[in-house]
Amino acid sequence: MTGATRVLVLNSGSSSVKYQLLDMRDEARLAVGLVERIGERTARLTHTPADGRRRERELPVPDHGAALRLAAEELAADGRGLDSPELAVVGHRVVHGGQSFTEPTLVDDAVLAEIERLVPLAPLHNPANLAGIRTARALNPDVPQVAVFDTAFHTTMPEHAARYAIDVATADRHRIRRYGFHGTSHAYVSRRAAALLGRDPSEVNVIVLHLGNGASASAVAGGRCVDTSMGLTPLEGLVMGTRSGDLDPAVVFHLARVAGMPVDEIDALLNKRSGLLGLCGDNDMREIARRMAAGDPAARLAFDVYAYRLRKYLGAYVAVLGRVDAVAFTAGVGENSTEVRAAAVAGLSGLGIEIDERLNSAAAKGPRLISPEYARVAVAVVPTDEELEIATQAFALARPR
Ligand code: AMP
């Protein structure tokens, strides 16, 4: 590989910016950093260069632009600033690409305007992503910027999976449909699961369970997403750390009419105070497992509701795909929780889905199979790496420079 080989990946959340600098010759991380609590009285920056010597600072950081300038300063202090000739491209995670963006896209003014037009669909995230892109562009106008959309992988969903059964004119006017999220992770993990089976992604059908603090499932047929559990927003689907996942939409009317809650409060209730946290007061699966082992009934109920929803989606996606070659667990809970993996597939041996207890509880890292050899469906743990996937996609677009 000749020429510039470094990629800066930026992931701007509602109040944080995560960044990684990768060298695509060997996919090495040259720096990993995080600016959190943006907009609060004091924000915190953590920057770890390749030598592992972590630097931390606490200081006021008013907005995402300031956060990125700070990250750029830290990178420059390592001799790897945004003006380095080694920097090939900046890859930005953009949460919502609507129906407009079906693949990673080189950013120009028209692309920025379209991401802006999609702000009503992701009011907390797209503005943060836009600020990141604009600041990175201002810091070095010569480096290409690539937007990698969380929704893009799901744009292959057929219309019957993407549509809600509501009035079509109303839905279209307000762009209401199922978009799905975590697409970068679902794309990466489904491909890695195929590789683990020694097969081409186009030959296999995979169910991916991305179980982090946010959680989503997807059904991937021959490398293309055909359904996913998140919808217009990341609230639909599985039970998550703090989100309810699926519920009767009339619960919202009930909370408004009977409980007298304003819409913003209902939004906060369902997104921030529901899910595992709402059921038992904790959203960290490690703590829930510990409490459950100590006989705590609220933790047990939270775990059971979580696992039951997962099993329902697994069953549903078996029906969607017809034939399943692999089920892949990923993200914080999926990669680490032996208990959740066991409970998610409990009783599904009739569908060919089962795990080997010894393999499931073995302390291991990296992609691995946890199903018995005779099982019809391979069950796998596949660590996700969204930053690497964003870097790979951005680098592929920027290479001809
Ligand atoms: P993520 O959003 O992918 O970073 O996942 C974060 C979540 O993963 C945390 O809220 C924990 O619930 C869960 N998690 C992380 N490590 C473990 C572990 N060792 N065992 C169980 N759950 C874990």
Side-chain angles (χ1 to χ4, degrees), residues 172-237:
D172 287 351
R173 187 165 341 116
H174 300 289
R175 291 177 284 177
I176 297 169
R177 57 190 281 119
R178 309 190 57 253
Y179 294 99
F181 299 88
H182 293 143
T184 308
S185 178
H186 287 284
Y188 176 82
V189 170
S190 57
R191 268 204 333 271
R192 294 300 288 251
L196 194 60
L197 303 186
R199 297 175 63 187
D200 193 82
S202 64
E203 295 171 359
V204 293
N205 292 347
V206 185
I207 298 174
V208 178
L209 300 172
H210 176 110
L211 311 177
N213 200 23
S216 63
S218 68
V220 183
R224 291 164 69 84
C225 177
V226 292
D227 203 354
T228 192
S229 59
M230 284 178 168
L232 173 73
T233 78
L235 185 56
E236 190 180 340

Side-chain angles (χ1 to χ4, degrees), residues 7 25 39 70 85 110 129 133 143 148 167 185 225-226 233 246 268 279 297 300 306 310 323 340 387 398-399:
V7 181
R25 281 175 300 188
L70 209 56
N129 303 149
I133 300 175
V143 174
V148 178
D167 172 64
S185 178
C225 177
V226 292
T233 78
D246 293 337
L279 285 164
R300 173 87 247 170
Y306 184 95
L310 262 178
R323 186 201 84 226
V340 166
E387 281 76 16
R399 279 223 80 190

Side-chain angles (χ1 to χ4, degrees), residues 18 210-214 241 276 283-287 289 330-339 384 386:
K18 287 190 223 159
H210 176 110
L211 311 177
N213 200 23
L276 294 170
N283 62 334
D284 190 317
M285 195 52 84
R286 285 165 288 202
E287 184 57 19
T330 194
V333 176
E335 290 167 32
N336 295 298
S337 175
T338 315
E339 297 90 340
T384 192
E386 291 168 271

